[in-house]
PDB file of all heavy atoms in Angstrom:
ATOM      1  N   VAL S 173       3.532   5.969  -3.978  1.00 97.00           N
ATOM      2  CA  VAL S 173       2.881   6.793  -4.999  1.00 97.00           C
ATOM      3  C   VAL S 173       3.935   7.759  -5.512  1.00 97.00           C
ATOM      4  O   VAL S 173       4.602   8.438  -4.725  1.00 97.00           O
ATOM      5  CB  VAL S 173       1.677   7.564  -4.428  1.00 97.00           C
ATOM      6  CG1 VAL S 173       1.039   8.420  -5.514  1.00 97.00           C
ATOM      7  CG2 VAL S 173       0.657   6.612  -3.831  1.00 97.00           C
ATOM      8  N   ARG S 174       4.097   7.799  -6.840  1.00 96.00           N
ATOM      9  CA  ARG S 174       5.085   8.692  -7.433  1.00 96.00           C
ATOM     10  C   ARG S 174       4.554   9.250  -8.753  1.00 96.00           C
ATOM     11  O   ARG S 174       3.684   8.661  -9.390  1.00 96.00           O
ATOM     12  CB  ARG S 174       6.411   7.975  -7.636  1.00 96.00           C
ATOM     13  CG  ARG S 174       6.324   6.776  -8.530  1.00 96.00           C
ATOM     14  CD  ARG S 174       7.694   6.126  -8.705  1.00 96.00           C
ATOM     15  NE  ARG S 174       7.519   4.830  -9.317  1.00 96.00           N
ATOM     16  CZ  ARG S 174       7.889   3.684  -8.785  1.00 96.00           C
ATOM     17  NH1 ARG S 174       8.476   3.663  -7.623  1.00 96.00           N
ATOM     18  NH2 ARG S 174       7.691   2.563  -9.406  1.00 96.00           N
ATOM     19  N   THR S 175       5.126  10.373  -9.135  1.00 94.00           N
ATOM     20  CA  THR S 175       4.726  11.001 -10.395  1.00 94.00           C
ATOM     21  C   THR S 175       5.323  10.231 -11.567  1.00 94.00           C
ATOM     22  O   THR S 175       6.388   9.636 -11.452  1.00 94.00           O
ATOM     23  CB  THR S 175       5.182  12.471 -10.453  1.00 94.00           C
ATOM     24  OG1 THR S 175       6.595  12.523 -10.338  1.00 94.00           O
ATOM     25  CG2 THR S 175       4.557  13.287  -9.345  1.00 94.00           C
ATOM     26  N   THR S 176       4.613  10.247 -12.673  1.00 92.00           N
ATOM     27  CA  THR S 176       5.091   9.546 -13.877  1.00 92.00           C
ATOM     28  C   THR S 176       5.328  10.494 -15.051  1.00 92.00           C
ATOM     29  O   THR S 176       5.940  10.097 -16.032  1.00 92.00           O
ATOM     30  CB  THR S 176       4.088   8.472 -14.323  1.00 92.00           C
ATOM     31  OG1 THR S 176       2.816   9.086 -14.576  1.00 92.00           O
ATOM     32  CG2 THR S 176       3.945   7.398 -13.265  1.00 92.00           C
ATOM     33  N   ASP S 177       4.816  11.723 -14.948  1.00 88.00           N
ATOM     34  CA  ASP S 177       4.999  12.696 -16.024  1.00 88.00           C
ATOM     35  C   ASP S 177       4.808  14.095 -15.457  1.00 88.00           C
ATOM     36  O   ASP S 177       4.592  14.262 -14.261  1.00 88.00           O
ATOM     37  CB  ASP S 177       4.053  12.419 -17.196  1.00 88.00           C
ATOM     38  CG  ASP S 177       2.586  12.403 -16.789  1.00 88.00           C
ATOM     39  OD1 ASP S 177       2.196  13.198 -15.901  1.00 88.00           O
ATOM     40  OD2 ASP S 177       1.823  11.611 -17.358  1.00 88.00           O
ATOM     41  N   SER S 178       4.848  15.086 -16.302  1.00 83.00           N
ATOM     42  CA  SER S 178       4.737  16.473 -15.844  1.00 83.00           C
ATOM     43  C   SER S 178       3.318  17.022 -15.924  1.00 83.00           C
ATOM     44  O   SER S 178       3.101  18.198 -15.657  1.00 83.00           O
ATOM     45  CB  SER S 178       5.674  17.359 -16.664  1.00 83.00           C
ATOM     46  OG  SER S 178       5.303  17.309 -18.029  1.00 83.00           O
ATOM     47  N   VAL S 179       2.363  16.179 -16.275  1.00 85.00           N
ATOM     48  CA  VAL S 179       0.983  16.657 -16.426  1.00 85.00           C
ATOM     49  C   VAL S 179       0.018  15.987 -15.453  1.00 85.00           C
ATOM     50  O   VAL S 179      -1.173  15.870 -15.727  1.00 85.00           O
ATOM     51  CB  VAL S 179       0.481  16.497 -17.884  1.00 85.00           C
ATOM     52  CG1 VAL S 179       1.234  17.421 -18.814  1.00 85.00           C
ATOM     53  CG2 VAL S 179       0.578  15.059 -18.345  1.00 85.00           C
ATOM     54  N   GLY S 180       0.514  15.525 -14.321  1.00 84.00           N
ATOM     55  CA  GLY S 180      -0.365  14.990 -13.286  1.00 84.00           C
ATOM     56  C   GLY S 180      -0.543  13.489 -13.273  1.00 84.00           C
ATOM     57  O   GLY S 180      -1.393  12.983 -12.540  1.00 84.00           O
ATOM     58  N   GLY S 181       0.207  12.763 -14.069  1.00 89.00           N
ATOM     59  CA  GLY S 181       0.116  11.306 -14.040  1.00 89.00           C
ATOM     60  C   GLY S 181       0.840  10.742 -12.822  1.00 89.00           C
ATOM     61  O   GLY S 181       1.920  11.206 -12.453  1.00 89.00           O
TER      62      GLY S 181
END
Side-chain angles (χ1 to χ4, degrees):
V173 179
R174 60 179 167 240
T175 60
T176 58
D177 57 36
S178 61
V179 293

